């Protein structure tokens, strides 16, 4: 695991954008395509804007990128809470990504069916090969959830390599999420976390006692791939081991 800590959010976002570009270029050079799963929420919005900017746009052959989602909120496709809608506006539309390269969760289906159908999209995309994403981008909630692996939910104990639906009692809503075993098959996993309110969760996940029911992001340990944590100094402020870049 590598932890990268930056003085400012701007430096952090530039570093993870450069990392994204590097993995994209290497994957395309090695296998002809780049399979990436994105996260939702607020934190990655500035990263997506940066990737769509003139400077970054020209660094990747975007027609060779296949986009998936680590998780999705169970709301209609045009709802402001929908992760794919957010990414469509900030990244896919500005970069003219063809619909055939976007693998989104169909939230018009019942939750379990939506998860099954999304798993089927993944299975068919990798057709017979291991479900190894080149890169999975993740965020971290203040309660140490990642993707939609929330504390004390059944999906935390799901050992299948798939996407599953999960009901969140506190929010009275469903989500569709990749399971930890699916995420852990990735060649590269990168967490993007910044801001003081995330500091405790970062500390518990990285240096606290192991308790995945309470701190689900602890489940993210790639089988063979690389794990990177991209943090700003505020999110890293409670860590004991911190080497700032
Ligand atoms: C989502 C996510 C989720 C997110 C964290 C952090 O759909 O909300 O994919 O796992 O990464 O909740 O979200 P913020 O960046 O908004 O704090």
């Amino acid at each position: 695991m590598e932890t990268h800590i930056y003085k400012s959010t701007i430096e952090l976002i530039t570093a993870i954008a450069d990392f994204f570009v590097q993995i994209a270029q290497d994957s395309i050079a090695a296998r002809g395509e780049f399979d990436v799963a994105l996260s939702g929420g607020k934190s990655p919005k500035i990263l997506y804007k940066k990737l769509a900017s003139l400077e970054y746009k020209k660094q990747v052959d975007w027609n060779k990128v296949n986009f998936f989602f680590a998780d999705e909120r169970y709301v209609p496709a045009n709802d402001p809470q929908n992760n794919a809608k957010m990414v469509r506006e900030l990244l896919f539309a500005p970069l003219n990504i063809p619909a055939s390269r976007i693998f989104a969760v169909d939230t018009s289906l019942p939750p379990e069916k939506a998860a099954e159908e999304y798993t089927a999209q993944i299975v068919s995309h990798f057709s017979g090969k291991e479900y190894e994403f080149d890169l999975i981008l993740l965020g971290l909630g203040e309660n140490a959830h990642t993707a939609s692996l929330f504390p004390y939910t059944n999906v935390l104990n799901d050992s299948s390599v798939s996407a599953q639906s999960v009901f969140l009692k506190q929010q009275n809503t469903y989500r569709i999420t990749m399971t930890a075993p699916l995420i852990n098959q990735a060649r590269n996993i990168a967490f993007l976390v910044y801001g003081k309110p995330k500091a405790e969760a970062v500390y518990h996940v990285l240096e606290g006692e192991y308790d995945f029911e309470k701190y689900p992001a602890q489940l993210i340990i790639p089988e063979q791939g690389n794990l990177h944590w991209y943090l700003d100094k505020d999110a890293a402020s409670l860590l004991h081991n911190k080497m700032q870049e």
Side-chain angles (χ1 to χ4, degrees), residues 75 79 150 155 180 183 193 198 225 236:
V75 293
D79 187 292
F150 279 75
V155 69
I183 296 172
V193 191
K198 301 284 174 79

Side-chain angles (χ1 to χ4, degrees), residues 207-219:
E207 294 183 355
E209 185 193 337
Y210 187 74
D211 183 350
F212 71 85
E213 296 276 4
K214 198 167 176 191
Y215 310 117
Q218 290 181 339
L219 287 170

Side-chain angles (χ1 to χ4, degrees), residues 8-117:
S8 67
T9 316
I10 295 178
E11 285 168 84
L12 167 68
I13 298 299
T14 304
I16 195 167
D18 291 341
F19 173 77
F20 183 105
V21 166
Q22 189 63 55
I23 304 280
Q25 290 175 346
D26 292 351
S27 304
I28 293 169
R31 289 173 295 281
E33 291 186 357
F34 172 46
D35 295 321
V36 62
L38 303 176
S39 61
K42 289 189 286 293
S43 308
K45 289 185 180 181
I46 36 176
L47 169 63
Y48 302 151
K49 279 189 200 154
K50 188 155 192 102
L51 290 172
S53 69
L54 272 185
E55 190 193 346
Y56 281 85
K57 205 172 167 159
K58 55 178 193 260
Q59 297 187 47
V60 173
D61 188 349
W62 294 101
N63 288 319
K64 296 189 172 143
V65 184
N66 300 309
F67 292 95
F68 293 78
F69 294 87
D71 71 329
E72 184 55 277
R73 289 110 181 255
Y74 189 67
V75 293
N78 61 359
D79 187 292
Q81 291 294 315
N82 187 278
N83 286 336
K85 175 182 160 71
M86 178 272 283
V87 181
R88 198 163 276 130
E89 286 167 5
L90 299 181
L91 195 66
F92 302 158
L95 294 174
N96 283 319
I97 305 296
S100 59
R101 294 282 188 188
I102 302 169
F103 299 80
V105 178
D106 181 354
T107 53
S108 68
L109 299 169
E112 265 180 47
K113 281 265 168 286
E116 266 172 39
E117 194 269 343

Side-chain angles (χ1 to χ4, degrees), residues 148-162 164-166 177-182 210-214 216 219:
S148 285
L149 303 171
F150 279 75
Y152 305 106
T153 51
N154 291 341
V155 69
L156 303 184
N157 292 296
D158 194 317
S159 57
S160 68
V161 175
S162 65
Q164 295 292 329
S165 62
V166 53
T177 187
M178 289 187 178
T179 60
L182 172 55
Y210 187 74
D211 183 350
F212 71 85
E213 296 276 4
K214 198 167 176 191
L219 287 170

